[in-house]
Amino acid sequence: MQPLATQIDTKGHGPPPGTAPPDPDADLAARAARGDRAAFEALLRRHYDRMHAIAWRMTGSRHDAEDVVQEVCCTLVERIAGFRGEAKVSTWLFGIVLNACRDHHRRRSTLARMKDGLGTWLRLGPTPDGRDLYRRAWLAAALARLDPALRETVVLVVGEGLTHAEAGQALGIAEATVSWRLHEARRRLKTDPEERHGA
């Protein structure tokens, strides 16, 4: 597995302006906004798993993630009518999930669960050897100590594969701010002694 700090550094910024493909969800969203229940349900089915994955990574708990996403799904019944197409539907949805997770953190103070969730995320993949296990444990703790703004940016770009532009739309910040946050997260993560010595 490529070091997380390296993944952060090498993620692309997306295609040049004006070359992005059309949003495959635009028609479903437009129909859902007009009250088409089948379109609304199809939209949720298409994105539910990724919404849940983001919520799980942000809360550190499958149960809390389910609560967050169920709450988001309920509010979307009314909010979908306000979607204006200024971002991809998926990006808009992920932004709503992130906001719901922030509310959840404020209500529940779930820093410990966040640490567990990041640990689970970093343990995915092949069974690690002893050195990898140490590094992953260190990285889980380091990520959990990052400022929430840095952590959620890492989750979207590294965990979900969003471009810097898409993450910026989801977070309500400029693309340049996403790039700065990832640079800052990488700088902090490079305090790992293995990375400093090129291990």
Side-chain angles (χ1 to χ4, degrees):
M1 178 180 170
Q2 192 180 29
L4 183 58
T6 303
Q7 293 180 47
I8 292 171
D9 191 47
T10 58
K11 281 290 177 182
H13 295 266
T19 62
D23 187 349
D25 299 313
D27 180 61
L28 280 178
R31 287 163 44 202
R34 294 192 298 268
D36 184 332
R37 181 174 176 177
F40 180 80
E41 291 176 354
L43 195 62
L44 288 185
R45 278 197 304 273
R46 184 176 291 182
H47 295 289
Y48 186 90
D49 287 346
R50 289 187 73 190
M51 291 164 64
H52 186 274
I54 290 171
W56 191 356
R57 289 167 180 161
M58 294 303 297
T59 64
S61 161
R62 180 189 294 270
H63 176 75
D64 289 346
E66 289 170 357
D67 288 346
V68 166
V69 177
Q70 286 301 317
E71 178 182 331
V72 167
C73 290
C74 290
T75 64
L76 280 176
V77 173
E78 296 179 359
R79 296 185 68 167
I80 191 71
F83 177 68
R84 296 290 175 256
E86 296 170 354
K88 289 172 60 177
V89 175
S90 58
T91 301
W92 179 71
L93 288 173
F94 299 159
I96 292 173
V97 172
L98 281 175
N99 283 330
C101 288
R102 291 170 186 154
D103 292 341
H104 175 82
H105 283 304
R106 283 192 289 267
R107 291 193 305 262
R108 300 284 302 273
S109 300
T110 54
L111 181 58
R113 290 192 178 100
M114 170 62 74
K115 290 179 181 177
D116 291 342
L118 287 167
T120 300
W121 173 31
L122 292 167
R123 285 193 297 271
L124 295 177
T127 302
D129 63 20
R131 189 180 69 168
D132 285 345
L133 184 59
Y134 163 78
R135 186 180 181 282
R136 286 167 184 256
W138 176 89
L139 195 50
L143 280 169
R145 288 193 301 270
L146 286 177
D147 297 336
L150 298 181
R151 186 168 54 236
E152 64 193 18
T153 305
V154 171
V155 166
L156 286 183
V157 176
V158 179
E160 288 302 313
L162 270 63
T163 65
H164 292 198
E166 290 170 338
Q169 289 176 327
L171 293 164
I173 59 177
E175 181 177 348
T177 305
V178 172
S179 299
W180 177 86
R181 286 183 181 181
L182 293 172
H183 173 78
E184 180 65 13
R186 183 171 186 267
R187 184 186 69 78
R188 296 186 188 186
L189 291 172
K190 285 185 74 173
T191 58
D192 179 0
E194 287 189 18
E195 289 205 355
R196 282 205 309 267
H197 293 95

